[in-house]
Each structure stands twice: as C-alpha cells, then as structure tokens.
Amino acid sequence: MSRVPGWLGKLGAGLTDISERLDERRAEVEREHAPDPSDTPPTPPQPAAPDPGAEAAVPAPRRPVPSAGPRPDPAEAVPWGVRVAAEAGWRMLVLAGTLWILMRVISAIQLVVFAFVIALLVTALLQPTVARLTRRGVPRGPATALTAISGFVVIGLMGWFVTWQVMENIDTLSTQIQSGIDDLRDWLLKSPFHVTDKQINQIAKNLREAIGANADQITSAGLEGVQVIIETLTSILLVFFSTLFLLYDGRRIWEWFLKLVPAAARPGVAGAGPRAWRTLTAYVRGTVLVALIDAIFIGIGIYFLNVPMAVPLAVFIFLFSFIPLVGAVASGALAVIVALVTQGVFTAVMTLLVVLAVQQIEGHVLQPFILGRAVRVHPLAVVLTVAAGGMVAGIGGAVVAVPLVAVTNTVVGYLRVYSEEVAASRSRPSAVEDDQGSEQQHG
C-alpha cells in the first residue's frame, strides 16, 4: 500500500506530458493551415494549458476590434432637405447683402437718384408729345426743347397759382378758422358727447405745451430752410436736364446701356426694355388723367359747398393723387378739415361724402378703364410698396414705388415667357431629328 501514491504520481506526470505534446502538434497544424497574414489580421497564439502547479492563470490578451472600413463623406450624412435649405440660405444671404449695399449707395446719392427717377416719369409723360411733333415734320431738337419747356412751365404755373391763392386768402382764412374753432367749441359743448368746457381748455393747453416743447425743432427746421431751398433748386435743375436729354437722346442711352449687359442676357433685356417703357408711359399718363378728374370733380363739389380756397385745394388733390392710396386719403382729409373749421360740421360731412363718392368712382371705374390690365397691381402689393417706399425715401419713395413695381412685374413676366420660348426652341430641333431618324429606320 505504501507504493500506490508514487505510482499514481508517475501516471499523472505522464498524462500531462502527453497532453502538452498534443497541444504543440495542434498548434503546428493550425499554423500550417492558417491564411496569409497580409490578408487578415494575425491571430494571437493560443495559450498553453495551465500548469496544475501554477498559482494563477495569466489572462489571455484581448483581440483587436476589426476596422469598419472608410468613413463616408460628411455631406452625404446630411439630410437632403437640410442641404437644400443651406444652399438656398447662403444664396439669400448674398442677395440680401448685395441689396443692402445697393440701398446704402442709393441713400448716399439719394438726391441724384430721386431726380433721375422723377425725370423718367416726366419723360414718360412728355415723350408722346415729342413723337407727335416729329411725325409732323418738326426737327427732334426743337420738338424736345419746346415740349420740355412747356411741361415745366405748366408745372411752375401750378405751383405759383397755389402759392398765390394761399397768400391772398391767408388773412380771410385765419379769420374763418378762428370763427370755425369757436363754432366747433360751441357744438362740442352742446353735443351729446358730454364734453365740458374744462376738457376743451385742457386740450388747448396740451396743444400749446406741445408747440412750446417743439419750439427748438421748429426753429432748427426754419434755419435749415436755406439748405432745403438749395437742394430743391438742385433737384429741379437735375430733373430738367435729365428730362431734356432723355427726350432727345433716349434711344442712344438705351443702346449704350444694353452694351453693359452680358451677351447671353442681352436679347431678353432688349425685349423687356420697350415693354417696361410702355408700362411706365401708360401708368404715368393714366395717373395724370385720373388725378385731373379727381381734382376737377372734388374742386367743383367743395366750390358749391362754399369751402374757402376751393381751387388751391383742388390743385393739392391733383398733386397728392400721384401717391397711391395715401395721397387720396391725405388730400381728402385736408379738404374735410378746412370745411370743418371754416363752415361747420354739416359742410364737413357733405365734403366727406363728395370726396368718398369721387374716390369710389375713381377706384372702380376710372383706374380699371384708363390704366387697363398692363399696369394692374394687387391692392395689397400697392399698400406694402407705398409703405416700404415711404419708410425708405419719404414722399418721393411713396411716389415712385408703385410704378417701379408695375415695371418690375412687366419685366419679370416677359423674361419668364422669353425663357420658356428659348427652351422650347432649343428642344424643337432634337425632336425633329428624332422624327427624321425614325422615318429613316422605317424606310
């Protein structure tokens, strides 16, 4: 029995030696059948069987994580909608920046730009007269000079007449205004609105305080009158000379402008220019005719209502009619206020009815019939355009805003039709060639 443990120990050592040799043989076979290391990452060798006498097994090394391949382009990972929005966004930013720079330049030379735009409007009004005179045998130079001088003389006479009427009737008008204010005060005291004498005195006191608080601004405005007069005279001279040259040499100026346009876009611009000019001419002549009708009928109405200075008010109505929507409201309100403070509430109400009746006839009958569809602009576009023009350039911006939108509408519509025609003409030869090829195949 004493020899049994020794025999068992030798048996265990022999089995351990055999297992180690089998592991080494298996490893050699795996190395012989393993793939090329250049194609696949090397496989770490299998650890040998732990020795039973070892205290602790050494942990096997971690296998490396295989690579997922090359990463995609970051632009391909962005959704298509986001990419389209980004492309449109930076282009809109470029356009907005260009527009901002253009507006800054225009504001820096606002006097010159405004004078040239007014000259374009006056030229659109007078150019048919020059064309009529040249058709009757008058040379273009004398026809241009005669038309331009006559037009500016008429405009000057209108301004002189309004000033003369105001200066002649200012004393009588002041007396009538004071009397009208007293009558209005008495009417408010006896009206069903329960206005007291204390409230009226408080309103008058607030008005006097407002005028006193703004006295410095009124004085500074009076001191700036010289600068305003100089700018006005400069603008008149620029408008006169610009109108003269546009009437005489407008075609050559347009041809010179076309040379600045890229050759690819020149045919489209050359076709859009005459159509834009016809739209502008139709707008100016139609607006003048509508304003004249408004001034005549409203002037006749307030004349028979014994409103003071009916003729100067009619001239104001004519001039304010060139500002769409806002001008009609302002001139009508002026006539109603004059009637209220001079003739009383009843005359003011009747004046308001006359103004509203004439303006309704103008908006629903005269403008659609005279201006036509060529310069028709949606009322919402008119309101927004006049507001934007007034905010950017004051009264002048409000005057030129609507004709600018009308001309832009005409140009954009023509260019869209022109591009469609060009695309159709380019695709037509290929269709013809396809038809010819099919005929040859059938033949």
Side-chain angles (χ1 to χ4, degrees), residues 87-354:
E87 292 286 339
W90 74 260
R91 286 177 171 83
M92 292 297 295
L93 288 176
V94 172
L95 291 177
T98 304
L99 183 61
W100 182 80
I101 294 174
L102 181 63
M103 295 303 297
R104 295 287 295 179
V105 173
I106 291 176
S107 62
I109 55 173
Q110 182 176 355
L111 181 64
V112 177
V113 174
F114 182 69
F116 182 74
V117 173
I118 295 299
L120 279 176
L121 298 178
V122 176
T123 303
L125 178 64
L126 300 180
Q127 194 270 337
T129 304
V130 176
R132 193 177 298 112
L133 291 176
T134 53
R135 284 196 300 267
R136 294 185 178 181
V138 181
R140 189 167 187 82
T144 300
L146 180 62
T147 304
I149 293 173
S150 301
F152 282 95
V153 166
V154 171
I155 296 174
L157 287 176
M158 290 174 58
W160 169 81
F161 179 76
V162 172
T163 305
W164 173 63
Q165 286 290 312
V166 172
M167 297 302 296
E168 285 290 327
N169 298 280
I170 189 66
D171 295 332
T172 305
L173 184 62
S174 300
T175 304
Q176 290 179 343
I177 289 175
Q178 185 62 41
S179 177
I181 291 174
D182 294 336
D183 294 338
L184 182 61
R185 177 192 182 98
D186 296 337
W187 181 81
L188 289 174
L189 291 174
K190 298 177 182 179
S191 67
F193 300 108
H194 304 289
V195 181
T196 62
D197 191 22
K198 182 178 179 181
Q199 292 175 339
I200 295 177
N201 292 332
Q202 184 64 34
I203 293 174
K205 180 180 178 182
N206 292 336
L207 290 175
R208 286 194 297 269
E209 290 178 354
I211 294 174
N214 296 323
D216 296 337
Q217 297 181 1
I218 296 174
T219 304
S220 62
L223 294 176
E224 293 176 356
V226 178
Q227 181 180 359
V228 172
I229 292 174
I230 294 175
E231 291 181 354
T232 303
L233 292 177
T234 304
S235 301
I236 292 174
L237 291 176
L238 286 175
V239 170
F240 178 77
F241 283 107
S242 298
T243 304
L244 195 63
F245 284 108
L246 287 173
L247 286 173
Y248 179 74
D249 218 6
R251 183 177 295 276
R252 292 181 59 186
I253 294 174
W254 171 246
E255 292 175 354
W256 172 83
F257 174 76
L258 285 177
K259 295 179 181 179
L260 303 178
V261 179
R266 194 172 300 165
V269 177
R275 288 167 176 79
W277 182 252
R278 284 197 294 269
T279 299
L280 183 63
T281 303
Y283 175 83
V284 174
R285 297 178 69 181
T287 302
V288 169
L289 185 57
V290 171
L292 186 62
I293 294 174
D294 283 352
I296 290 174
F297 283 96
I298 295 178
I300 291 174
I302 61 179
Y303 175 79
F304 283 106
L305 290 173
N306 294 323
V307 178
M309 296 195 306
V311 178
L313 285 175
V315 176
F316 274 116
I317 291 170
F318 173 78
L319 296 177
F320 275 81
S321 296
F322 286 93
I323 306 176
L325 299 179
V326 179
V329 174
S331 59
L334 179 62
V336 172
I337 291 173
V338 173
L340 177 64
V341 298
T342 56
Q343 299 296 324
V345 178
F346 177 76
T347 305
V349 172
M350 296 303 296
T351 303
L352 179 62
L353 292 178
V354 171

Side-chain angles (χ1 to χ4, degrees), residues 347-367:
T347 305
V349 172
M350 296 303 296
T351 303
L352 179 62
L353 292 178
V354 171
V355 171
L356 291 178
V358 173
Q359 289 181 355
Q360 289 297 315
I361 295 173
E362 169 207 334
H364 294 87
V365 178
L366 295 179
Q367 285 190 355

